[in-house]
Amino acid sequence: MIDLHNIEITGHSTRIVQTRGTVHIGREGFLNATRVTCGHAFVEGRIAGKVTCDGTLRLRGEGICRAQIRTRRLLIDRGTNLRFLYTIYADEVLLRGEIEADVQCAGRIHIGRHGGLDGDIHSRSLIVDKGGHYAGSVEISTALTEPALVSSPKPAVRVVPGWQPRLSFGWGA
């Protein structure tokens, strides 16, 4: 069964999270789980563990991030200052704030005018707006050593809302 609920965490939690919905970790929240799988995530507090996000992972705050991140889109908000202990794997990265991390990106890394990145990157392209900064080594290529997201197998049963079995055959039914 696929959970579609949105989850909000305002305190300390160690539960495993698996949802296709959005996970929101408030400013005072701390999710310390072995595995977090979600559709989208917005983290204002702290997060640790293996994080896989099928959509956008938006981060805001300061300090050290102990999460192993794999996401389609990583968005670092303006005013953010984070240091990552593990390499970030993403398909697209937009930095409006500052991070210290190594990044493997299947698409482009875009550093905005208030953004910054200190660390080594392997990406298809890198854009640095006037006012943004980057320090580290750059490898631009079309091949990554590890994919951003491992495709999950398609479920054997797919539920389609509003589906009704048809009792007749042909075009006019």
Side-chain angles (χ1 to χ4, degrees):
M1 185 165 106
I2 299 173
D3 188 6
L4 301 173
H5 291 96
N6 294 332
I7 297 171
E8 184 159 358
I9 297 170
T10 56
H12 182 81
S13 178
T14 57
R15 74 178 225 183
I16 292 174
V17 174
Q18 289 184 312
T19 183
R20 294 287 183 199
T22 300
V23 174
H24 177 229
I25 301 172
R27 289 184 187 194
E28 302 300 319
F30 178 36
L31 178 57
N32 187 9
T34 55
R35 186 174 62 244
V36 177
T37 305
C38 60
H40 300 282
F42 178 36
V43 180
E44 296 177 283
R46 296 182 302 154
I47 190 167
K50 288 188 177 186
V51 179
T52 303
C53 187
D54 291 334
T56 300
L57 173 60
R58 183 176 169 194
L59 299 174
R60 178 184 292 169
E62 295 181 356
I64 297 173
C65 184
R66 290 175 167 79
Q68 297 175 23
I69 295 174
R70 283 177 166 40
T71 184
R72 293 262 185 243
R73 283 175 301 281
L74 176 65
L75 172 60
I76 304 294
D77 279 347
R78 187 173 173 184
T80 297
N81 191 347
L82 291 172
R83 181 173 157 241
F84 292 83
L85 299 181
Y86 301 99
T87 299
I88 297 169
Y89 296 94
D91 290 335
E92 182 181 352
V93 177
L94 174 58
L95 301 172
R96 294 180 179 147
E98 298 188 21
I99 65 170
E100 182 181 328
D102 293 336
V103 180
Q104 295 251 346
C105 183
R108 72 174 181 187
I109 298 174
H110 185 166
I111 301 173
R113 64 184 179 138
H114 298 286
L117 173 61
D118 292 334
D120 299 336
I121 64 168
H122 183 179
S123 177
R124 186 174 294 246
S125 68
L126 172 65
I127 300 168
V128 182
D129 290 347
K130 184 177 180 179
H133 74 272
Y134 173 72
S137 69
V138 179
E139 184 176 343
I140 302 294
S141 72
T142 58
L144 288 177
T145 57
E146 189 169 336
L149 290 175
V150 176
S151 298
S152 57
K154 294 196 179 209
V157 176
R158 192 176 118 204
V159 178
V160 180
W163 181 79
Q164 296 285 329
R166 290 192 143 175
L167 300 175
S168 61
F169 298 93
W171 297 101

